Amino acid sequence: MSVNILNKVAKYAVALGIAGAALQSSVFVVPGGHRAVVFNRFTGVEEHVRGEGMHLKVPWVQRPVLFDIRTRPRSINSVTGTKDLQMVNLVLRVLSKPNRDLLPRIYSRLGQDWDERVLPSIGNEVLKAVVAQYNAEQLLTQREMVSRQIRETLTERARQFDIELDDVSMTHLTFGKEFATAIEQKQVAQQDAERSKYVVMVAEQEKQAAVTRAEGESEAAALISTALATAGDGLVQLRRIEAAKEIAQTLSHAKNVAYLPKGGNILLNVPNN
């Protein structure tokens, strides 16, 4: 009796095991942030993309292929030449993801490692093409415009491979030692030019001041000549009085002078010829 029961349990267990294995091989789960493309052994890659969750499949006939559709970062390094033949090292940071609606075509054309196959190639291509349009100095002074042109060109190029770019930015930009030395020499030359310009400006101002001073002295001499011609010796007498006052004031403060002449007017006592 017990043997028969054990045989029945064993048969049911085997049946359940076979059914569980068949069920397990007939379903697959797509995790979050992923999509599944189904490859059919008879018809090829199916156009219908499976979303997140549990799905049925035909064992041996259908094989699901998972794609991560979340945005992933990637750095692209390129050494290229500028318009003026200067070598520049550029590092580009790219945030990319596959077009979820075109995953079957991506799988047929590129496979699961689509980013490894496409992005380094088109990234170097776009960098070389854009950088060759600018001089080395323009890459520094117009960096935002260069980065925008690279982003627009690379986004359009990636779209041809059904790849979406969320962000493209230039994170690193360095030049060779020769260009760095040339920039340093140019800055020194500019500083010398500014210094020379300042010296010339000062000399010009001094020249203008000398001209103005000479014009003032000439005008003063002309006024004095006019005054002498119209007022006779009155102006000369006035100048003598002013000079005598200055001399008397100077002598009064001197320690080695005990007294002044009684008249107090030294120059006025000089007889006129």
Side-chain angles (χ1 to χ4, degrees):
M1 185 73 145
S2 59
V3 175
N4 293 332
I5 295 175
L6 290 176
N7 290 334
K8 290 182 179 180
V9 170
K11 291 180 181 179
Y12 289 141
V14 172
L16 289 174
I18 295 174
L23 180 62
Q24 184 177 4
S25 62
S26 300
V27 297
F28 64 94
V29 177
V30 179
H34 292 71
R35 293 293 185 272
V37 174
V38 176
F39 174 76
N40 192 303
R41 292 179 181 273
F42 299 107
T43 60
V45 180
E46 298 181 2
E47 292 297 327
H48 178 59
V49 178
R50 273 69 168 180
E52 301 171 358
M54 183 177 293
H55 301 274
L56 295 175
K57 68 174 182 176
V58 179
W60 188 82
V61 176
Q62 292 179 317
R63 177 172 60 87
V65 179
L66 295 180
F67 275 86
D68 188 351
I69 62 171
R70 293 170 295 186
T71 301
R72 64 183 71 179
R74 186 181 188 87
S75 294
I76 302 174
N77 193 341
S78 177
V79 178
T80 183
T82 61
K83 188 177 181 180
D84 53 351
L85 303 181
Q86 296 292 337
M87 298 307 297
V88 57
N89 184 13
L90 286 168
V91 177
L92 205 65
R93 183 180 63 88
V94 180
L95 298 180
S96 62
K97 63 182 179 181
N99 188 327
R100 64 183 65 185
D101 297 326
L102 300 176
L103 288 177
R105 189 164 69 177
I106 294 176
Y107 181 65
S108 300
R109 295 172 60 188
L110 305 174
Q112 288 180 279
D113 56 344
W114 51 269
D115 55 337
E116 185 67 32
R117 291 174 178 268
V118 174
L119 291 180
S121 176
I122 64 174
N124 278 279
E125 173 192 342
V126 171
L127 282 174
K128 293 181 183 300
V130 174
V131 171
Q133 302 176 18
Y134 296 90
N135 295 328
E137 186 176 354
Q138 292 176 323
L139 292 179
L140 296 174
T141 58
Q142 304 177 17
R143 180 166 179 169
E144 182 179 354
M145 184 177 69
V146 175
S147 181
R148 183 173 62 252
Q149 184 176 354
I150 291 174
R151 180 171 59 253
E152 293 174 352
T153 307
L154 186 58
T155 300
E156 183 63 28
R157 191 78 174 87
R159 193 175 291 118
Q160 299 175 5
F161 295 91
D162 306 320
I163 299 174
E164 298 178 355
L165 301 184
D166 291 339
D167 183 63
V168 179
S169 60
M170 191 164 50
T171 60
H172 190 66
L173 174 63
T174 56
F175 295 92
K177 294 182 179 179
E178 296 79 4
F179 182 71
T181 303
I183 290 180
E184 183 178 356
Q185 293 176 351
K186 182 177 180 180
Q187 290 177 345
V188 172
Q190 288 178 345
Q191 292 176 355
D192 292 341
E194 291 295 330
R195 189 179 299 109
S196 300
K197 186 185 299 183
Y198 175 75
V199 171
V200 171
M201 184 179 65
V202 171
E204 187 68 25
Q205 293 294 331
E206 291 179 350
K207 178 182 177 181
Q208 187 66 28
V211 171
T212 303
R213 185 165 52 251
E215 291 177 351
E217 293 176 354
S218 176
E219 185 176 356
L223 292 175
I224 292 174
S225 298
T226 303
L228 289 174
T230 57
D233 61 350
L235 181 60
V236 176
Q237 296 297 332
L238 178 61
R239 291 285 186 255
R240 287 179 177 178
I241 293 173
E242 292 175 352
K245 285 183 177 181
E246 293 178 1
I247 294 172
Q249 186 175 5
T250 302
L251 292 177
S252 65
H253 291 88
K255 295 181 179 180
N256 57 348
V257 176
Y259 64 92
L260 293 175
K262 184 177 180 181
N265 192 343
I266 299 176
L267 295 182
L268 290 181
N269 293 330
V270 178
N272 297 326
N273 293 328

